Tab-separated table of all heavy atoms in Angstrom:
chain	number	residue	atom	x	y	z
W	139	ASP	N	-257.401	2.605	150.012
W	139	ASP	CA	-258.360	3.236	149.157
W	139	ASP	C	-259.647	2.449	149.093
W	139	ASP	O	-260.718	3.032	149.097
W	139	ASP	CB	-257.776	3.420	147.736
W	139	ASP	CG	-256.652	4.428	147.706
W	139	ASP	OD1	-256.553	5.290	148.618
W	139	ASP	OD2	-255.884	4.403	146.698
W	140	GLU	N	-259.521	1.134	148.999
W	140	GLU	CA	-260.727	0.305	148.981
W	140	GLU	C	-261.525	0.460	150.243
W	140	GLU	O	-262.739	0.593	150.223
W	140	GLU	CB	-260.361	-1.169	148.733
W	140	GLU	CG	-259.852	-1.447	147.337
W	140	GLU	CD	-259.323	-2.891	147.178
W	140	GLU	OE1	-259.452	-3.642	148.117
W	140	GLU	OE2	-258.707	-3.152	146.163
W	141	ASP	N	-260.823	0.461	151.380
W	141	ASP	CA	-261.500	0.645	152.649
W	141	ASP	C	-262.178	2.033	152.750
W	141	ASP	O	-263.286	2.126	153.201
W	141	ASP	CB	-260.493	0.513	153.854
W	141	ASP	CG	-259.977	-0.919	153.989
W	141	ASP	OD1	-260.620	-1.830	153.425
W	141	ASP	OD2	-258.961	-1.105	154.671
W	142	ASP	N	-261.472	3.042	152.228
W	142	ASP	CA	-262.023	4.358	152.262
W	142	ASP	C	-263.266	4.460	151.395
W	142	ASP	O	-264.231	5.074	151.774
W	142	ASP	CB	-260.977	5.408	151.767
W	142	ASP	CG	-259.821	5.605	152.757
W	142	ASP	OD1	-260.014	5.171	153.929
W	142	ASP	OD2	-258.814	6.162	152.352
W	143	GLU	N	-263.229	3.798	150.242
W	143	GLU	CA	-264.414	3.850	149.346
W	143	GLU	C	-265.613	3.179	150.036
W	143	GLU	O	-266.732	3.675	149.977
W	143	GLU	CB	-264.078	3.105	148.018
W	143	GLU	CG	-263.145	3.910	147.147
W	143	GLU	CD	-262.667	3.081	145.920
W	143	GLU	OE1	-263.214	2.011	145.675
W	143	GLU	OE2	-261.734	3.570	145.278
W	144	GLU	N	-265.333	2.067	150.719
W	144	GLU	CA	-266.428	1.397	151.412
W	144	GLU	C	-266.958	2.250	152.546
W	144	GLU	O	-268.157	2.324	152.807
W	144	GLU	CB	-265.993	0.060	151.972
W	144	GLU	CG	-265.704	-1.006	150.925
W	144	GLU	CD	-265.116	-2.251	151.482
W	144	GLU	OE1	-265.036	-2.396	152.713
W	144	GLU	OE2	-264.676	-3.097	150.709
W	145	GLY	N	-266.032	2.965	153.234
W	145	GLY	CA	-266.442	3.774	154.384
W	145	GLY	C	-267.091	5.084	154.001
W	145	GLY	O	-267.675	5.743	154.820
W	146	GLU	N	-267.019	5.491	152.724
W	146	GLU	CA	-267.570	6.745	152.321
W	146	GLU	C	-269.092	6.722	152.258
W	146	GLU	O	-269.759	7.714	152.484
W	146	GLU	CB	-267.007	7.147	150.961
W	146	GLU	CG	-265.582	7.628	151.043
W	146	GLU	CD	-264.999	7.885	149.666
W	146	GLU	OE1	-265.705	7.790	148.653
W	146	GLU	OE2	-263.778	8.196	149.604
W	147	GLY	N	-269.651	5.599	151.904
W	147	GLY	CA	-271.130	5.497	151.770
W	147	GLY	C	-271.755	5.484	153.114
W	147	GLY	O	-271.140	5.390	154.160
W	148	PRO	N	-273.123	5.559	153.163
W	148	PRO	CA	-273.833	5.551	154.393
W	148	PRO	C	-273.671	4.252	155.186
W	148	PRO	O	-273.713	4.268	156.396
W	148	PRO	CB	-275.310	5.764	153.994
W	148	PRO	CG	-275.333	5.704	152.492
W	148	PRO	CD	-273.940	5.766	152.003
W	149	LYS	N	-273.453	3.140	154.470
W	149	LYS	CA	-273.288	1.868	155.173
W	149	LYS	C	-272.034	1.909	156.041
W	149	LYS	O	-272.017	1.444	157.178
W	149	LYS	CB	-273.213	0.703	154.192
W	149	LYS	CG	-274.529	0.418	153.497
W	149	LYS	CD	-274.315	-0.695	152.506
W	149	LYS	CE	-275.625	-0.940	151.720
W	149	LYS	NZ	-275.455	-1.966	150.732
W	150	GLY	N	-270.934	2.428	155.472
W	150	GLY	CA	-269.661	2.517	156.221
W	150	GLY	C	-269.803	3.404	157.426
W	150	GLY	O	-269.361	3.083	158.515
W	151	LYS	N	-270.518	4.549	157.262
W	151	LYS	CA	-270.662	5.481	158.358
W	151	LYS	C	-271.586	4.871	159.438
W	151	LYS	O	-271.363	5.036	160.601
W	151	LYS	CB	-271.211	6.820	157.888
W	151	LYS	CG	-270.161	7.605	157.119
W	151	LYS	CD	-270.735	8.932	156.738
W	151	LYS	CE	-269.678	9.725	155.966
W	151	LYS	NZ	-270.172	11.011	155.527
W	152	LYS	N	-272.639	4.216	158.985
W	152	LYS	CA	-273.572	3.625	159.961
W	152	LYS	C	-272.869	2.578	160.806
W	152	LYS	O	-273.043	2.551	162.002
W	152	LYS	CB	-274.758	2.985	159.224
W	152	LYS	CG	-275.817	2.436	160.129
W	152	LYS	CD	-276.964	1.927	159.367
W	152	LYS	CE	-278.008	1.320	160.285
W	152	LYS	NZ	-279.081	0.699	159.544
Side-chain angles (χ1 to χ4, degrees):
D139 290 341
E140 290 172 7
D141 292 343
D142 290 345
E143 288 172 10
E144 290 174 8
E146 287 174 3
K149 291 178 184 176
K151 287 184 180 178
K152 183 177 178 184

